[in-house]
Amino acid sequence: MLNVIYKIKMSTVFKKSGALAILLLMSAAMLSQNWKKDLLEMNKAYMNAKSFSMKVDVNSYAGLNDKKAFFRSAGEVVSSGSNYYTSMMGRITILNERCMLVVDHGQKMIVYKKNNPASAPRNGFTIASLDSSMVMMEKNVKVKYLQDNAKEKRIELTYKSGEIARMEIVLDPVTCLMREVVFYYNTSKDYGNSLAKVVVTYTDTELDREVPDSFFSENNFLVSRKNEMLPLKKYEKYEVVNQSHSKS
């Protein structure tokens, strides 16, 4: 039962923290030529980089006009080749050619699953998925520039229906790297969202810096003994859930 429950939690972690940039691309890429060009340039910048890293700051607001966030979380995203790392909300997520790993410090649990090297992600960005999203979703959203000048490119997407009412994407006008994403949620009874707005800010973005493979290694948390994954002494109180042999 624990294995099944944590499989769901692990999926949620990857969707919400490990793949934040991927979600942005998949959700935002349904634009006419000018906007499409900007987002393809953003995609290209990350995809062509040997590595990228960024600090992520998430502020959640109960009301649209609230000045103070009722919940804040800060973290980090690092990618290099087929390696991917996120740290957010007390969870560390690692993807490499050997495995997927989630370290939940709050629940004192480590989830491990062997990875298929052939399916290992490459920076999490693909032109193909971006283009397909543009074709599939362009009828469901109205898009316009709120700002398009030397200071910033701010693109607004207004959805006809769905949990998210609208979204703003802020790009650096020179590099086309992400600066900020603002999600405005539908708060009607039909959706039951307690959040009105979430602001995700990206800072200290670096491309092509050297990141050793050891940074993304499961060996920072686990050791393999007799085909069993055991926690290092530092994490000896953590429960290890090995999903390598579970059915998907």
Side-chain angles (χ1 to χ4, degrees), residues 121-168:
R122 295 287 173 179
N123 280 1
F125 295 87
T126 66
I127 293 284
S129 64
L130 189 61
D131 282 339
S132 65
S133 294
M134 290 177 182
V135 173
M136 293 175 62
M137 302 180 68
E138 60 185 0
K139 295 181 180 180
N140 298 319
V141 65
K142 181 180 178 181
V143 186
K144 66 179 181 180
Y145 275 114
L146 297 180
Q147 293 281 349
D148 185 12
N149 52 43
K151 292 185 177 180
E152 71 174 25
K153 291 179 177 287
R154 182 177 291 264
I155 304 169
E156 180 187 65
L157 300 89
T158 303
Y159 296 88
K160 291 182 179 179
S161 61
E163 185 175 349
I164 298 175
R166 60 189 176 94
M167 180 167 65
E168 294 175 12

Side-chain angles (χ1 to χ4, degrees), residues 87-145:
S87 176
M88 182 70 66
M89 296 177 66
R91 295 187 184 97
I92 292 174
T93 302
I94 291 174
L95 289 85
N96 58 42
E97 291 186 344
R98 297 176 301 278
C99 70
M100 296 184 292
L101 190 77
V102 175
V103 181
D104 191 321
H105 294 298
Q107 298 193 55
K108 294 191 180 302
M109 185 174 289
I110 301 175
V111 182
Y112 169 87
K113 187 173 185 178
K114 284 185 179 179
N115 192 27
N116 181 357
S119 63
R122 295 287 173 179
N123 280 1
F125 295 87
T126 66
I127 293 284
S129 64
L130 189 61
D131 282 339
S132 65
S133 294
M134 290 177 182
V135 173
M136 293 175 62
M137 302 180 68
E138 60 185 0
K139 295 181 180 180
N140 298 319
V141 65
K142 181 180 178 181
V143 186
K144 66 179 181 180
Y145 275 114

Side-chain angles (χ1 to χ4, degrees), residues 204-220:
D204 298 335
T205 301
E206 291 186 73
L207 303 182
D208 295 321
R209 73 180 176 93
E210 291 293 330
V211 186
D213 287 344
S214 58
F215 180 83
F216 306 94
S217 177
E218 67 278 16
N219 296 330
N220 295 323

Side-chain angles (χ1 to χ4, degrees), residues 5-105:
I5 293 174
Y6 219 83
K7 182 181 291 186
I8 297 173
K9 289 187 177 182
M10 184 175 180
S11 175
T12 302
V13 169
F14 282 116
K15 287 178 182 177
K16 291 189 176 180
S17 62
L20 183 61
I22 301 172
L23 174 63
L24 169 62
L25 291 176
M26 295 295 289
S27 300
M30 61 294 283
L31 311 173
S32 63
Q33 291 302 315
N34 288 340
W35 299 301
K36 179 179 179 179
K37 180 178 180 296
D38 284 337
L39 290 186
L40 286 174
E41 285 297 319
M42 176 187 70
N43 187 69
K44 182 180 177 182
Y46 290 104
M47 188 179 68
N48 288 350
K50 294 179 181 179
S51 71
F52 66 83
S53 62
M54 62 187 79
K55 296 292 175 32
V56 182
D57 192 74
V58 181
N59 286 274
S60 302
Y61 300 85
L64 285 177
N65 299 318
D66 289 359
K67 300 297 183 183
K68 185 177 180 180
F70 80 88
F71 180 78
R72 178 181 178 273
S73 179
E76 181 182 19
V77 176
V78 183
S79 178
S80 178
S82 60
N83 299 316
Y84 195 76
Y85 167 98
T86 66
S87 176
M88 182 70 66
M89 296 177 66
R91 295 187 184 97
I92 292 174
T93 302
I94 291 174
L95 289 85
N96 58 42
E97 291 186 344
R98 297 176 301 278
C99 70
M100 296 184 292
L101 190 77
V102 175
V103 181
D104 191 321
H105 294 298

Side-chain angles (χ1 to χ4, degrees), residues 213-240:
D213 287 344
S214 58
F215 180 83
F216 306 94
S217 177
E218 67 278 16
N219 296 330
N220 295 323
F221 304 93
L222 300 173
V223 61
S224 177
R225 291 179 184 166
K226 297 181 180 180
N227 294 322
E228 185 179 4
M229 301 304 295
L230 301 174
L232 298 182
K233 184 173 179 58
K234 182 179 179 180
Y235 303 101
E236 61 185 357
K237 294 183 179 180
Y238 284 52
E239 178 184 2
V240 177

